[in-house]
Amino acid sequence: MISKLVIEILEDKKKSPSKINIPSIVVAEKINPNTLAELESKNLIGLITSKGGLTDHTSIIAKAMGVPYLINVENASEKIKNGDFLIIDSNEKSVKINPEKETILKYKKIISDQEIKNRKQLLNSKDKAFTKSGKTINIMANVGSLEDGKKAFEYGADGIGLLRTELCFINSSVVPEEETHYKTYKKILETIPEKKCTLRLLDFGTDKKVSYLPVSNEQNPAIGNRALRLGFMYYESLLKPQIRSFLRLSKIFEIKILCPMITTPNDLIQVIDAIKQEQEELNLLGEEINEIPEIGIMVEVPNVAMNPLDFVSTADFFSFGTNDLAQFLMAADRTNEMVSHYLEQANQTVVKLIKDFAKALKPYKKEISICGELASNQSYLKEFIDLGLSSLSVTPSQIPKIKTKILSLI
Ligand code: PEP
Ligand code: MG
C-alpha cells in the first residue's frame, strides 16, 4: 500500500531525534524501538534504514504509528541528502529520490485513490464481519500505547488481542510501580469499552531494552533471558506489581492474561502459582478478587507449537506469536536484514503448525488465535476462518481492510 507522499526534509543529525519540528523522513543506518518510540510522531512521516527486520519491534511500532518504513536500503544515509524530495513506495519497497513532476502526480493520484478506498473500508469495520456463509472471526487490535488504543476503537477492533505492555514503559527511566501499571492499562482499556482485552505480561529483552534493567551482554538475547524468564529473575520489581495491577483491573474490565515465551508446562505453572499467590495477598489487603482472569500462552516457541497436548490442561487459551515462532523455526534473527529472506519463506511452515495445533486441540474447545504479523496476511484469511480460530489480532489500521475482505469470502 502506498501510504503517503512525503516531502522529505532530513533530520538534522545534531538534533535529538525527539525534536523533529518539521515534517521529516528520518534516514538512518538503524533505528531501535526506543528511539522510534521517542520520536515526535506528528512530524515523522517516514523512515528509511539500511538495517532492520520486517517483524522486529521498530517495524511493529512504525506500522502502529502509520509511518511508512523502508528497510534494507543500502547506504541510505550516503545516498540521500538533506533536503532531498522523497517518495516512499511501500508496495514496491522502493524510494524515489527527487522524482520528476510526472511521478509526483502519479503518486498523488495513487494516494487519493487509496484514501477513498480506506474510507469505504472503514464503513465496513464498525461491526463484526461475517463471510457470505455466516462464518466469522474476531478481528482484534495489537496495542502498545494509549494512541494505539484510540486507533483500535476508531478502526472498529472487536477488542484488544494483544497489549504489548512492555512498549508502554520502553522509555521510562524507572521501573514502573503497581500504580503506574494500573493507571496506564486502565486508560488504554477505557479507549475500547465493553470489549474483551488480552494483556500480555512483560516481554522485555532482545530488541526491547530498558534503562532500568542491567545491561545484558548475552550472545543470543532472543533465546536468552527475556520475557518471563527475566520477569521471575526480578520478580519483586518487574512481575509482582504487574500481576497485581492485572488482578485489580480484572474487577472492572473483561481481561485475559497472556504469558510470553512459555517454553515448558512448568513455565506456565510457575506463572499460575504466582498469580494465585498475588490474588491471596491482595485479598488479605481487602481487594476481594474472587476470580482470576483466564490465563493463556503465546505459542511462539517451537516446543509449544509442536506439543499442544502438553499445555492443554493448564492453559485457558493460546495465541500464536508468529514473529518469534518464524525466527526460531527458520533460525533467522527477525532483527537482521541479512537473513530476512528466510523469514519471508516461513509462512507455509507456520500455517501448517497452526493447522496441526488447532486439529489436535479441537476436542478441547480452547480458544486459539494469532497475534503475530501473519495474522494480517490476507492470503491465509480463509484458512484461518475455516480452521475455527477465534481471533486474529493485527495493527489497528489493518482492521477495516481485513473485515472488508471477510465480507467478500464465501
Ligand atoms: C510474536 O512473536 O509474534 C508476537 C506477537 O510478539 P512480539 O512481536 O512482541 O515478540
Ligand atoms: Mg514474541
Side-chain angles (χ1 to χ4, degrees):
M1 186 189 82
I2 313 291
S3 310
K4 260 178 196 164
L5 172 70
V6 284
I7 298 168
E8 200 271 345
I9 302 153
L10 279 176
E11 174 196 19
D12 178 345
K13 285 199 177 122
K14 286 182 198 108
K15 277 187 211 155
S16 118
S18 54
K19 288 197 195 96
I20 302 174
N21 39 25
I22 42 173
S24 307
I25 291 181
V26 170
V27 181
E29 171 91 347
K30 185 163 181 131
I31 295 177
N32 67 35
N34 304 63
T35 310
L36 178 54
E38 246 179 43
L39 291 173
E40 160 85 58
S41 72
K42 188 165 65 79
N43 283 323
L44 178 69
I45 53 175
L47 285 171
I48 299 176
T49 62
S50 303
K51 295 187 172 169
L54 269 180
T55 61
D56 70 13
H57 288 91
T58 304
S59 282
I60 286 168
I61 296 171
K63 228 190 214 181
M65 284 175 163
V67 172
Y69 177 28
L70 203 59
I71 53 170
N72 220 348
V73 178
E74 248 179 76
N75 305 320
S77 314
E78 285 100 71
K79 271 190 220 150
I80 300 169
K81 302 275 173 296
N82 214 349
D84 277 345
F85 185 103
L86 302 181
I87 294 174
I88 295 177
D89 184 331
S90 310
N91 254 352
E92 264 185 12
K93 295 192 176 36
S94 69
V95 55
K96 314 263 181 279
I97 306 172
N98 298 320
E100 302 282 307
K101 199 172 162 203
E102 256 172 41
T103 311
I104 297 174
L105 289 175
K106 185 185 106 183
Y107 276 94
K108 274 191 168 166
K109 168 89 173 75
I110 294 173
I111 290 165
S112 72
D113 288 352
Q114 184 66 53
E115 281 169 355
I116 294 169
K117 210 166 158 189
N118 290 349
R119 277 198 292 276
K120 280 192 189 148
Q121 290 178 341
L122 194 57
L123 295 175
N124 291 329
S125 82
K126 290 293 158 212
D127 300 313
K128 258 188 100 158
F130 290 84
T131 64
K132 292 185 197 305
S133 60
K135 292 183 198 154
T136 191
I137 188 165
N138 287 311
I139 305 299
M140 319 278 275
N142 286 349
V143 166
S145 66
L146 181 59
E147 269 318 298
D148 293 350
K150 290 178 188 165
K151 285 186 189 165
F153 179 74
E154 181 191 333
Y155 289 116
D158 296 321
I160 293 176
L162 169 64
L163 175 54
R164 285 187 170 97
T165 57
E166 64 282 354
L167 295 185
C168 301
F169 307 110
I170 200 153
N171 282 327
S172 166
S173 54
V174 290
V175 190
E177 293 179 347
E178 181 181 324
E179 218 40 43
T180 314
H181 281 286
Y182 182 84
K183 285 184 183 150
T184 307
Y185 312 140
K186 183 168 182 285
K187 274 193 196 153
I188 294 176
L189 296 171
E190 280 165 352
T191 60
I192 183 149
E194 292 163 31
K195 300 269 195 242
K196 287 190 184 166
C197 295
T198 300
L199 278 59
R200 186 172 72 181
L201 291 164
L202 292 168
D203 184 7
F204 284 131
T206 66
D207 60 344
K208 290 178 283 194
K209 297 189 176 66
V210 279
S211 61
Y212 46 85
L213 287 174
V215 178
S216 135
N217 287 320
E218 293 174 80
Q219 294 297 312
N220 293 301
I223 49 173
N225 197 22
R226 62 176 275 203
L228 289 169
R229 302 165 181 185
L230 194 63
F232 277 106
M233 181 174 240
Y234 300 104
Y235 182 75
E236 291 295 318
S237 56
L238 277 188
L239 217 45
K240 185 182 179 91
Q242 184 176 44
I243 291 176
R244 286 181 168 229
S245 74
F246 283 5
L247 289 170
R248 286 169 54 210
L249 286 163
S250 73
K251 293 203 295 184
I252 41 177
F253 298 100
E254 208 176 331
I255 65 162
K256 299 199 276 187
I257 300 179
L258 181 57
C259 307
M261 283 295 285
I262 293 291
T263 306
T264 63
N266 272 345
D267 286 348
L268 176 57
I269 290 165
Q270 189 185 19
V271 188
I272 295 172
D273 288 348
I275 293 174
K276 284 185 180 156
Q277 175 71 31
E278 298 310 331
Q279 178 197 19
E280 260 178 49
E281 287 183 21
L282 283 173
N283 283 346
L284 287 176
L285 297 170
E287 279 287 349
E288 294 184 15
I289 296 153
N290 300 325
E291 253 185 74
I292 55 174
E294 286 186 7
I295 302 168
I297 61 174
M298 296 284 294
V299 185
E300 54 186 349
V301 173
N303 188 51
V304 179
M306 295 165 77
N307 296 298
L309 297 182
D310 290 355
F311 297 85
V312 74
S313 59
T314 337
D316 292 320
F317 65 96
F318 299 88
S319 188
F320 269 83
T322 57
N323 307 331
D324 274 314
L325 186 56
Q327 82 164 340
F328 301 140
L329 286 172
M330 303 305 275
D333 181 348
R334 63 193 265 203
T335 68
N336 184 343
E337 70 294 339
M338 287 186 284
V339 293
S340 61
H341 56 285
Y342 286 111
L343 296 178
E344 283 159 21
Q345 298 168 64
N347 291 353
Q348 293 293 347
T349 311
V350 175
V351 171
K352 183 182 176 306
L353 277 175
I354 296 173
K355 274 188 183 166
D356 292 348
F357 195 93
K359 224 188 254 174
L361 288 196
K362 200 156 185 206
Y364 302 90
K365 300 202 176 346
K366 297 263 171 159
E367 275 189 14
I368 302 171
S369 53
I370 307 176
C371 62
E373 293 305 290
L374 187 69
S376 53
N377 187 326
Q378 292 197 19
S379 355
Y380 301 104
L381 185 56
K382 184 154 170 27
E383 271 177 87
F384 293 153
I385 295 172
D386 289 344
L387 265 181
L389 300 187
S390 66
S391 65
L392 300 172
S393 194
V394 302
T395 306
S397 60
Q398 307 266 332
I399 293 168
K401 195 165 58 178
I402 297 176
K403 286 198 175 181
T404 303
K405 176 79 181 175
I406 292 177
L407 296 176
S408 75
L409 296 174
I410 307 293

